[in-house]
């Protein structure tokens, strides 16, 4: 069995006290006890209740410039939020102004010839897909998106760009590869263009830079020719996954993912999975199986079942996937998924649970040949610590050689866990310690972790996985010396990097 060293894996005192304070009541109740402005929280984990002084729902470029200039003149700092799904406090600033982009949701321009689409940054993927379909109704060779996050359709383009997100491509780089250019309103309220030719340092820092360099009002995306694909589903032992992926790639498949068995009572627990790949077919091939797609009710029932009977839930999930084997649809449609904001509140109510709970996402990256080793550590650790996984999937990513803070430093397998977490100090600690433990196991095999979820990594872990983090902090101060743009995530990292600098040698990764 793997033991954990609590001194290296333990939460910082501040973090733990915060979590504990939150968890004594419910997060909302605890935060409400010290009312001072408007209370906001992240949508998925709900572990980031934050008081902000005011919220501006900006609607236009001039509106945004005015809000930023006003905040700067009055000495206030501000954070920027889209759909509020980041889970480490990247989109909120305690006692700061919050710029909410969700009203800036217009499709600005489609250049069919160059396959470029310009949208306002608060536009959600679901609206982009609907607009593209509408605009190109009679287009024989329509354009579509290359990749988006697959767990939900309501994330904004600004949020996607700031996390440098990924979808389920087999050979795709993170989102940066799909960005042609964007505009940025900097701390002085100036509007500047950022691309691979203009303000290149900002282009590479803002993508994956979590809102620290300014407000992105609009983004120009690179589109691809819309492609129809046939979903192919097979159950595989996970040690065969690397081989299966190679085979899929050699046949010209662009997309694929593997949903892992999360039933800890089964011998297949984190040992087998449902591997789905998508074979390109002729654009005139009719769409099939639309009636078998997961519905919102089906999604809700499955999420509910996985909380009460994992064995049956996983069986049903396998049966559902297998029933879609051979179905044909557009590749962007296959990237969509249902998600109900606040679904856990309903589950808590229906199960008459004493404690509120949510799922906490985390994601780790390892070289594909090391996947097996990493998963065997995870399996052993989760069983020993009774870590309850609600969902787990494996994706693939190509090396990102463009951004300042690349999470995909190599071609990696991306392992995603969604941990059920009651909002009690002990349950939150179990989840956070699992995350810290897995960061170390990823580092052992030259891997990394995703910054968009909880800020649980210590300085050594951050520096090992993100060797340019200090450059990121320095560049932020160069472009924004008065720190007009901040977030609790930024403050936490800045403080951590200001401390214990002499004793921190990054691990070899
Ligand atoms: C259920 C779920 C599934 C997910 N699936 C995936 C996945 O498949 N792949 C993946 O890569 N990630 C995934 N994520 C993570 C997600 O992509 C990121 O957290 C993303 O940043 C959230 O976008 P948002 O619109 O909610 O942004 P927010 O959470 O509101 O903001 C995130 C960051 O973007 C910044 N930001 C937002 N808009 C702007 C702007 N206009 N200008 C400057 N900064 C801005 C904010 O300041 C903040 O730092 C998932 C998250 C959840 C909860």
């Amino acid at each position: 069995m793997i033991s954990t060293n609590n001194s290296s894996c333990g939460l910082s005192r501040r973090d733990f006290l915060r979590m504990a304070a939150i968890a004594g009541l419910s997060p909302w109740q605890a935060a409400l006890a010290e009312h001072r402005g408007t209370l906001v929280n992240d949508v998925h984990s709900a572990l980031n209740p934050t008081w902000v002084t005011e919220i501006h729902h900006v609607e236009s470029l001039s509106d945004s410039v005015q809000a930023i200039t006003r905040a700067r003149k009055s000495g206030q700092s501000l954070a920027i939020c889209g759909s509020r799904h980041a889970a480490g406090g990247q989109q909120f600033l305690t006692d700061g102004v919050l710029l909410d982009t969700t009203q800036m949701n217009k499709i600005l321009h489609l250049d069919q010839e160059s396959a470029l689409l310009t949208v306002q940054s608060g536009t959600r993927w679901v609206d982009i897909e609907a607009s593209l379909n509408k605009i190109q109704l009679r287009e024989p060779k329509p354009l579509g998106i290359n990749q988006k996050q697959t767990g939900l359709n309501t994330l904004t383009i600004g949020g996607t760009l700031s996390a440098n997100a990924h979808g389920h491509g087999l050979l795709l780089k993170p989102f940066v590869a799909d960005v042609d250019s964007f505009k940025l309103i900097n701390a002085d309220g100036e509007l500047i263009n950022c691309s691979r030719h203009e303000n290149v340092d900002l282009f590479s820092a803002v993508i994956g830079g979590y809102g620290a360099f300014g407000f992105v009002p609009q983004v120009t995306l690179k589109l691809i020719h819309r492609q129809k694909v046939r979903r192919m589903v097979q159950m595989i032992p996970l040690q065969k996954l690397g081989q299966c992926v190679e085979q899929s790639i050699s046949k010209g498949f662009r997309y694929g993912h593997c949903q892992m068995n999360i039933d800890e009572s089964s011998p297949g627990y984190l040992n087998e999975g449902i591997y789905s790949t998508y074979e390109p077919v002729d654009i005139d091939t009719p769409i099939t199986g639309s009636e078998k797609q997961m519905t919102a009710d089906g999604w809700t029932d499955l999420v509910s079942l996985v909380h009460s009977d994992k064995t049956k839930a996983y069986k049903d999930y396998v049966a559902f996937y297998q029933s879609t084997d051979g179905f044909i649809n557009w590749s962007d449609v296959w990237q969509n998924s249902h998600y109900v904001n606040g679904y856990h509140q309903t589950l808590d109510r229906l199960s008459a649970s004493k404690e509120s709970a949510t799922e906490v996402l985390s994601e780790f990256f390892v070289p594909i040949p090391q996947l097996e080793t990493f998963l065997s550590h995870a399996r052993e650790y989760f069983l020993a610590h009774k870590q309850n996984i609600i969902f787990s999937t494996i994706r693939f990513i190509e090396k990102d050689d463009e951004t300042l803070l690349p999470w995909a430093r190599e071609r990696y397998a991306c392992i995603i866990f969604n941990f059920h977490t009651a909002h009690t100090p002990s349950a939150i600690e179990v989840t956070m310690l699992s995350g810290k433990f897995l960061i170390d196991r990823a580092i052992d095999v030259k891997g990394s972790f995703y910054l968009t979820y909880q800020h649980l990594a210590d300085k050594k872990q951050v520096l090992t996985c993100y060797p340019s983090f200090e450059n990121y902090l320095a560049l932020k101060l160069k472009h924004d010396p008065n720190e007009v743009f901040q977030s609790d995530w930024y403050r936490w990292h800045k403080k951590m990097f200001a401390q214990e600098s002499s004793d921190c040698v990054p691990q070899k990764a």
Side-chain angles (χ1 to χ4, degrees), residues 38-49:
T38 303
L39 190 58
V40 291
N41 205 346
D42 82 275
V43 173
H44 188 69
S45 80
L47 286 174
N48 291 282

Side-chain angles (χ1 to χ4, degrees), residues 9 110 170 259 263 301 460 465 494:
C9 281
L110 172 63
L170 290 174
Q259 322 293 80
D263 173 15
D301 290 348
K460 199 167 170 180
C465 299
K494 189 185 163 197

Side-chain angles (χ1 to χ4, degrees), residues 140-367:
K141 280 192 164 187
L143 298 166
I145 62 162
N146 193 20
Q147 64 174 331
K148 64 176 270 294
Q149 302 91 330
T150 47
L152 66 174
N153 313 328
T154 51
L155 301 175
T156 62
I157 297 306
T160 305
L161 179 135
S162 303
N164 193 19
H166 67 97
H168 66 206
L170 290 174
L171 274 175
L172 299 184
K173 292 183 177 189
F175 184 64
V176 58
D178 302 324
V179 179
D180 173 76
S181 56
F182 56 86
K183 292 194 187 295
L184 181 78
I185 304 174
N186 68 15
D188 294 323
E190 297 160 349
L191 184 68
I192 53 180
N193 298 324
C194 299
S195 71
R196 290 174 179 82
H197 313 289
E198 270 181 288
N199 297 303
V200 181
D201 64 333
L202 282 170
F203 181 82
S204 76
V206 171
I207 302 180
Y210 294 103
F213 296 88
F215 178 80
V216 175
Q218 70 182 57
V219 181
T220 298
L221 295 172
K222 296 190 208 171
L223 300 180
I224 56 168
H225 279 294
R226 216 171 171 213
Q227 172 82 65
K228 275 189 188 153
V229 290
R230 174 185 289 116
R231 180 189 259 179
M232 300 169 73
V233 180
Q234 48 179 319
M235 298 298 299
I236 58 161
L238 290 176
Q239 76 256 29
K240 281 210 169 156
L241 182 58
Q243 205 184 319
C244 289
V245 168
E246 287 313 311
Q247 280 168 6
S248 305
I249 291 169
S250 69
K251 288 180 190 157
F253 299 2
R254 283 171 57 85
Y255 299 97
H257 50 87
C258 183
Q259 322 293 80
M260 277 191 276
N261 180 340
I262 41 81
D263 173 15
E264 47 294 80
S265 70
S266 137
Y269 175 62
L270 300 189
N271 249 326
E272 64 171 21
I274 314 163
Y275 178 54
S276 305
T277 40
Y278 299 85
E279 177 187 22
V281 296
D282 191 89
I283 197 167
D284 294 326
T285 316
I287 287 172
T288 55
S290 295
E291 73 289 351
K292 282 246 179 161
Q293 294 298 332
M294 180 79 78
T295 60
D297 286 348
W299 182 88
T300 310
D301 290 348
L302 189 63
V303 173
S304 171
L305 190 61
V306 79
H307 284 79
S308 58
D309 183 348
K310 266 195 195 173
T311 306
K312 177 156 176 26
Y314 183 65
K315 260 193 197 150
D316 286 3
Y317 196 46
V318 170
F320 165 73
Y321 259 91
Q322 286 176 331
S323 76
T324 64
D325 181 36
F327 286 165
I328 289 162
N329 215 320
W330 296 102
S331 79
D332 46 33
V333 173
W334 284 123
Q335 295 181 48
N336 287 335
S337 179
H338 294 286
Y339 179 93
V340 179
N341 283 358
Y343 69 88
H344 222 295
Q345 287 168 6
T346 314
L347 290 184
D348 293 347
R349 210 177 42 246
L350 291 176
S351 65
S353 168
K354 276 196 231 115
E355 292 129 6
S356 57
T358 50
E359 267 70 74
V360 172
L361 272 163
S362 46
E363 182 164 352
F364 309 91
F365 311 113
V366 300

